[in-house]
């Protein structure tokens, strides 16, 4: 399904604009809520089954001890959050987790490592993990930090379908959030991923203390990439004690829904993932997000180090809304 959409995306299509300016994006954000949601939902229906939601499962294959200083992240060594540094998991354990995820209904398995970038024997082991997860019949996704061109090539050869690497916020606000890696570094990793034919999963995070202009700036950057990312995760900050953002004010729920809707309008054929932060969202808010164009979630009771809704709760929500797995 996804590959079909990415192939379509490569053909010239007038609704796949990549020349958004900030004023146009802000004008979408400024629409009356009903007008914005109506437009987003129409776009959504044009390209997707509106009742189908893609389900991914996430596994932290290497937790904690990360040298980067992302102020939202419990895994950074810079902050005292109680998350200990662990070693890279064994390949067999990852393959077993993938099998369980498939049995629970996931179609994609995403492996996350708290690294600045993968290196040496650890990287070799991740290549093996990708092969084994694929053999379990799942789509594969990894998020391992920065990649060079050769690493992207090797991951592709091992069978990696998606690479997650987020821009996180606008280039204007980025320096307030992370100082150890630049926006340009991130763009270069995305280029290597794209150039090697791996689907790009790239989005951001809301609730960092950013302004609406920053949220618009993030979407502008994502939609103006050389190709729209095939998958766009929109995270709501999970505030973790010990991080500089532990007391960050919550992002307004309707502003979050607006951001999903604007993402849907700007990137009509991308899968928009309602990513971290769902435990703090009501069923009603999630329902609005699905109406506004979100069509992917993480399923399973843990994200990387923080919680995710109980799987039975998600099942009940899907039943209440008449949603099914894509
Ligand atoms: N270390 C890798 C990297 O940053 O490229 C991969 C893992 S990192 C956890 C992936 C993404 O998760 C981040 O870019 C950020 O958007 C999101 N994230 C991390 N901590 C979060 C939190 N506390 N709340 C919400 N999203 C978070
Ligand atoms: C993404 O954008 N969100 C996921 C995934 N990509 C790897 C990670 C969310 C992490 C939330 C904080 C934690 O559990 O540590
Ligand atoms: Fe490290 Fe990724 Fe967390 Fe940043 S978001 S501190 S790079 S694990």
């Amino acid at each position: 399904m996804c590959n079909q959409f990415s192939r379509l995306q490569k053909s010239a299509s007038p609704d796949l604009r990549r020349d958004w300016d900030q004023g146009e994006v802000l004008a979408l954000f400024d629409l009356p809520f009903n007008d914005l949601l109506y437009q987003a939902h129409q776009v959504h229906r044009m390209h997707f089954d509106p009742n189908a939601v893609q389900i991914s499962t996430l596994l932290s294959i290497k937790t904690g001890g990360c040298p980067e200083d992302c102020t939202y992240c419990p895994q950074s060594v810079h902050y005292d959050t109680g998350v200990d540094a662990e070693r890279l998991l064994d390949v067999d354990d990852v393959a077993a987790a993938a099998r369980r995820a498939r049995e629970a209904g996931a179609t994609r398995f995403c492996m996350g490592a708290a690294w600045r970038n993968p290196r040496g024997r650890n990287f070799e082991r991740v290549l093996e993990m990708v092969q084994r997860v694929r053999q379990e019949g799942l789509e594969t996704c990894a998020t391992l930090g920065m990649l060079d061109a050769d690493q992207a090539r090797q991951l592709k050869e091992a069978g990696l379908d998606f690479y997650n690497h987020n821009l996180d916020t606008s280039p204007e606000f980025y320096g307030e959030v992370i100082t150890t890696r630049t926006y340009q570094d991130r763009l270069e990793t995305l280029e290597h991923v794209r150039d090697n034919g791996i689907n790009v999963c790239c989005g951001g995070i809301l609730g960092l203390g950013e302004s609406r202009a920053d949220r618009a700036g993030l979407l502008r950057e994502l939609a103006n990439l050389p190709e729209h990312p095939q998958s766009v995760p929109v995270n709501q900050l999970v505030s973790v004690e010990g991080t500089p953002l532990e007391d960050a004010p919550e992002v307004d729920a309707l502003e979050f829904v607006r951001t999903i809707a604007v993402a849907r309008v700007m990137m009509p054929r991308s899968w928009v993932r309602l990513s971290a932060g769902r435990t703090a969202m009501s069923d009603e808010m999630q329902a609005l997000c699905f109406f506004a164009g979100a069509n992917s979630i993480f399923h399973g009771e843990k994200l990387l180090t923080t919680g995710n809704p109980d799987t039975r709760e998600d099942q009940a929500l899907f039943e209440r809304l008449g949603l099914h797995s894509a």
Side-chain angles (χ1 to χ4, degrees), residues 15-32:
D15 65 348
L16 293 181
R17 286 188 48 197
R18 294 188 295 98
D19 59 353
W20 294 88
D21 71 38
Q22 178 74 359
E24 290 175 299
V25 187
L26 280 172
L28 286 173
F29 268 95
D30 287 342
L31 284 172

Side-chain angles (χ1 to χ4, degrees), residues 100-118:
R100 286 194 299 274
R102 180 176 35 101
E103 285 162 5
T107 55
R108 189 178 309 157
F109 191 73
C110 181
M111 295 163 270
W115 286 324
R116 175 172 167 79
N117 55 279

Side-chain angles (χ1 to χ4, degrees), residues 66-70 72-76 113-116 181 186:
C66 183
E68 305 292 297
D69 70 353
C70 313
Y72 48 74
C73 186
Q75 303 201 70
S76 165
W115 286 324
R116 175 172 167 79
R181 98 172 27 143
R186 290 184 186 249

Side-chain angles (χ1 to χ4, degrees), residues 56-63 75 88-99 101 107-115 118 122-136 138-145 147 155 158-165 201 273 298 302-305:
S56 292
T57 292
L58 195 52
L59 178 70
S60 181
I61 56 168
K62 195 274 166 205
T63 303
Q75 303 201 70
L88 181 62
L89 295 184
D90 283 333
V91 177
D92 286 341
D93 293 341
V94 174
R99 190 169 321 135
T107 55
R108 189 178 309 157
F109 191 73
C110 181
M111 295 163 270
W115 286 324
N122 280 340
F123 183 62
E124 306 284 318
R125 205 193 288 178
V126 173
L127 294 175
E128 265 181 70
M129 290 175 186
V130 171
Q131 286 162 352
R132 291 283 299 278
V133 172
R134 211 136 195 260
Q135 284 163 12
E136 294 296 336
L138 285 154
E139 286 184 314
T140 53
C141 174
T143 178
L144 316 167
L147 296 182
L155 284 165
L160 190 72
D161 297 304
F162 286 81
Y163 194 78
N164 167 239
H165 198 63
C201 172
R273 181 171 309 121
F298 283 120
K302 203 166 168 201
L303 291 166
L304 292 172
T305 64

Side-chain angles (χ1 to χ4, degrees), residues 241-304:
E241 211 180 309
T243 62
L245 289 173
E246 65 179 359
D247 293 322
E250 246 179 61
V251 61
D252 174 67
L254 296 182
E255 180 71 7
F256 189 95
V257 177
R258 275 183 189 274
T259 308
I260 297 275
V262 176
R264 170 52 66 222
V265 171
M266 294 174 72
M267 293 171 279
R269 290 185 177 154
S270 302
W271 294 79
V272 175
R273 181 171 309 121
L274 185 52
S275 204
R278 287 197 302 117
T279 42
M281 295 177 194
S282 67
D283 281 4
E284 292 78 7
M285 176 177 172
Q286 293 185 62
L288 274 178
C289 288
F290 293 130
F291 185 79
N295 59 352
S296 169
I297 57 163
F298 283 120
H299 184 66
E301 276 146 36
K302 203 166 168 201
L303 291 166
L304 292 172

Side-chain angles (χ1 to χ4, degrees), residues 69-252:
D69 70 353
C70 313
T71 47
Y72 48 74
C73 186
Q75 303 201 70
S76 165
V77 282
H78 298 266
Y79 319 123
D80 188 7
T81 62
V83 173
D84 295 326
E86 292 173 16
R87 294 158 63 117
L88 181 62
L89 295 184
D90 283 333
V91 177
D92 286 341
D93 293 341
V94 174
R99 190 169 321 135
R100 286 194 299 274
R102 180 176 35 101
E103 285 162 5
T107 55
R108 189 178 309 157
F109 191 73
C110 181
M111 295 163 270
W115 286 324
R116 175 172 167 79
N117 55 279
R119 279 175 291 145
R121 299 265 302 267
N122 280 340
F123 183 62
E124 306 284 318
R125 205 193 288 178
V126 173
L127 294 175
E128 265 181 70
M129 290 175 186
V130 171
Q131 286 162 352
R132 291 283 299 278
V133 172
R134 211 136 195 260
Q135 284 163 12
E136 294 296 336
L138 285 154
E139 286 184 314
T140 53
C141 174
T143 178
L144 316 167
M146 295 187 282
L147 296 182
D148 62 32
D150 197 50
Q151 288 174 323
R153 182 188 59 74
Q154 291 183 68
L155 284 165
K156 173 70 183 178
E157 271 175 26
L160 190 72
D161 297 304
F162 286 81
Y163 194 78
N164 167 239
H165 198 63
N166 292 338
L167 291 178
D168 275 347
T169 190
S170 69
E172 295 80 12
F173 189 63
Y174 182 85
E176 305 285 317
V177 185
I178 299 140
T179 70
T180 50
R181 98 172 27 143
T182 65
Y183 217 76
Q184 187 55 34
D185 288 333
R186 290 184 186 249
L187 292 170
E188 282 168 21
T189 291
L190 294 173
E191 188 181 334
H192 299 319
V193 171
R194 216 173 27 241
D195 288 353
N196 282 282
I198 301 172
N199 290 301
V200 169
C201 172
C202 182
I205 171 167
L206 307 192
L208 305 170
E210 77 285 347
S211 63
R212 175 176 278 188
D214 295 314
R215 293 187 274 274
L218 166 68
L219 297 183
R220 181 195 70 216
E221 293 299 314
L222 291 171
N224 290 347
L225 285 169
E227 257 182 66
H228 291 174
Q230 281 75 24
S231 166
V232 179
V234 183
N235 296 281
Q236 172 169 285
L237 176 73
V238 179
S239 50
V240 176
E241 211 180 309
T243 62
L245 289 173
E246 65 179 359
D247 293 322
E250 246 179 61
V251 61
D252 174 67

